[in-house]
Amino acid sequence: MAKQIDLDAPDPAFLDFWRERHLCTLTTLRADGTPHVVPVGVTYDAEERVARVITDKGSWKVAHILSAPLSARARVAVCQVDGRRWATLEGAATVRTDPASVADAERRYAERYNHPPRPNPTRVVIEIAVDRGTGNAVFGE
């Protein structure tokens, strides 16, 4: 059963789950409103309520975010699954290109996934201002 996660006081098991090494998915919306879902690595800073995805600036996911109407801001979701455990973070996405943001995201990625990302001179960071979290009932049992 799905449950809303209290982002002000998330269950420690929920936070632990976002620190474990799991492959995730990122869902963005194409111009026609259909979902584009791709596998990614995600890091989550619960204090800042920011999820980060490193990617190439020429990727479709970046193009979808940048083409979203400014009035709507690009809404995205990241999700991870492990057996019966699953969790989703949703929010507005921003693409960051500055070297400090990229280096910070690479450091966070290396910490979570236990290895540095491959070199990529055209890397950018998708930052998600998380405003909604859901997961299954295992969190808070």
Side-chain angles (χ1 to χ4, degrees):
M1 173 193 286
K3 74 179 254 185
Q4 185 79 24
I5 303 299
D6 180 355
L7 296 174
D8 289 325
D11 185 287
F14 179 81
L15 296 178
D16 287 344
F17 188 49
W18 281 102
R19 286 189 282 269
E20 296 170 7
R21 188 183 191 282
H22 295 290
L23 185 61
C24 303
T25 60
L26 169 69
T27 302
T28 58
L29 296 178
R30 297 180 182 101
D32 66 3
T34 60
H36 177 248
V37 184
V38 294
V40 294
V42 175
T43 62
Y44 180 52
D45 182 331
E47 288 183 21
E48 290 184 31
R49 287 195 192 174
V50 174
R52 293 174 176 86
V53 175
I54 56 175
T55 190
D56 189 84
K57 73 177 179 181
S59 69
W60 280 109
K61 50 192 162 290
V62 168
H64 296 150
I65 291 165
L66 294 177
S67 68
L70 290 179
S71 60
R73 299 220 31 217
R75 295 285 302 175
V76 302
V78 289
C79 182
Q80 65 182 14
V81 177
D82 180 46
R84 64 176 263 215
R85 298 181 304 161
W86 65 269
T88 301
L89 301 171
E90 301 174 35
T94 303
V95 177
R96 304 265 183 231
T97 60
D98 63 283
S101 293
V102 172
D104 179 56
E106 289 173 333
R107 178 190 58 77
R108 291 170 188 271
Y109 177 96
E111 186 177 294
R112 181 174 189 199
Y113 292 97
N114 298 317
H115 65 85
R118 66 175 173 73
N120 180 350
T122 58
R123 178 168 287 131
V124 297
V125 181
I126 297 170
E127 286 189 358
I128 304 161
V130 176
D131 58 21
R132 180 183 173 117
T134 53
N136 63 347
V138 70
F139 301 113
E141 286 184 339

